[in-house]
Amino acid sequence: CRSLRHDELDRPPGLASLLAVAFALPGTQTGRSAVLTRRGAVGAFVAAAAPVAVSADGANSKATVDKARAIYGSRVVRLASASPEAIIEDQNAITLFISGAYRAGPNGNTQDKAISKQLLALKKTALDGAKSGDAAKAQGALKEMIAIAKLTEQDGYDGNYNPKQRRNPGAPPTEAIVAQMGSEAYALYDRYDARSAGAPQKK
């Protein structure tokens, strides 16, 4: 039996290796006990691979909070005037905004936990209204959420998280890039200056 190299000692076992262990148990485990052990191992793999509910990763900082408010909060603002179908389709934006902007987990602070609880209740009201086709109820709950969280659209033309901008979202600030680009600032968003009379028309 060869000795393991240093890098192999730190390397986590792969899926194939773990499955091999599960299905090649020692000879002392035979019959029903071996079958149950193998079933338990396979069950553990299935559980580990199961999908989980959408949420932000919980690593809250000012930067991640600002990003959640700009990206997902802006979508919540637009949902306040959207149809019930659109609200249902983009409900993950509401979840990601709440979990990304408010630290409500075990290490969260009291204020964030209280606001998160309020917003989750409003989310439920909004989705209940949307699923029943009650646009007024759904939009009303979202407008209340926007008021509590003080949300505004921040992913517009000059926002730091505009998905059309040809850069890594958020850094450096848009205004710094625009100031450096001068008259060529339009190139941050498009190939041509839409304000120019001679700009090629998009097809």
Side-chain angles (χ1 to χ4, degrees):
C1 168
R2 72 181 181 86
S3 59
L4 293 175
R5 300 194 309 272
H6 176 73
D7 63 325
E8 292 178 311
L9 292 173
D10 296 330
R11 185 187 307 160
L15 178 59
S17 300
L18 291 173
L19 282 173
V21 172
F23 286 96
L25 300 171
T28 55
Q29 295 184 345
T30 58
R32 183 172 177 80
S33 62
V35 172
L36 290 176
T37 306
R38 290 170 184 162
R39 286 177 180 169
V42 174
F45 284 115
V46 172
V52 295
V54 62
S55 68
D57 64 9
N60 292 72
S61 66
K62 184 181 185 305
T64 57
V65 168
D66 288 347
K67 185 174 182 179
R69 292 180 65 86
I71 296 177
Y72 304 115
S74 297
R75 285 162 62 180
V76 172
V77 170
R78 291 190 287 272
L79 285 179
S81 57
S83 67
E85 294 77 15
I87 293 172
I88 292 171
E89 183 178 355
D90 204 22
Q91 60 181 289
N92 281 347
I94 306 173
T95 303
L96 289 168
F97 159 64
I98 297 172
S99 61
Y102 297 94
R103 189 169 186 171
N107 298 320
N109 61 65
T110 303
Q111 182 179 7
D112 276 10
K113 288 180 179 180
I115 296 176
S116 177
K117 185 176 180 179
Q118 281 184 283
L119 299 184
L120 287 172
L122 288 169
K123 173 195 169 186
K124 183 179 184 304
T125 301
L127 292 180
D128 287 346
K131 289 173 182 176
S132 65
D134 189 340
K137 179 180 178 180
Q139 293 174 357
L142 290 174
K143 287 175 182 176
E144 189 174 347
M145 180 184 295
I146 291 165
I148 292 173
K150 298 179 175 62
L151 288 177
T152 58
E153 281 192 76
Q154 299 179 47
D155 60 351
Y157 190 85
D158 292 325
N160 287 350
Y161 295 95
N162 186 330
K164 288 187 67 178
Q165 292 175 351
R166 301 178 178 190
R167 65 184 178 100
N168 294 328
T174 299
E175 58 184 10
I177 297 177
V178 170
Q180 293 174 8
M181 297 180 72
S183 62
E184 305 297 318
Y186 68 86
L188 181 62
Y189 303 90
D190 212 338
R191 293 175 58 193
Y192 307 109
D193 186 353
R195 293 165 292 186
S196 172
Q201 296 299 310
K202 295 182 180 178
K203 295 182 180 179

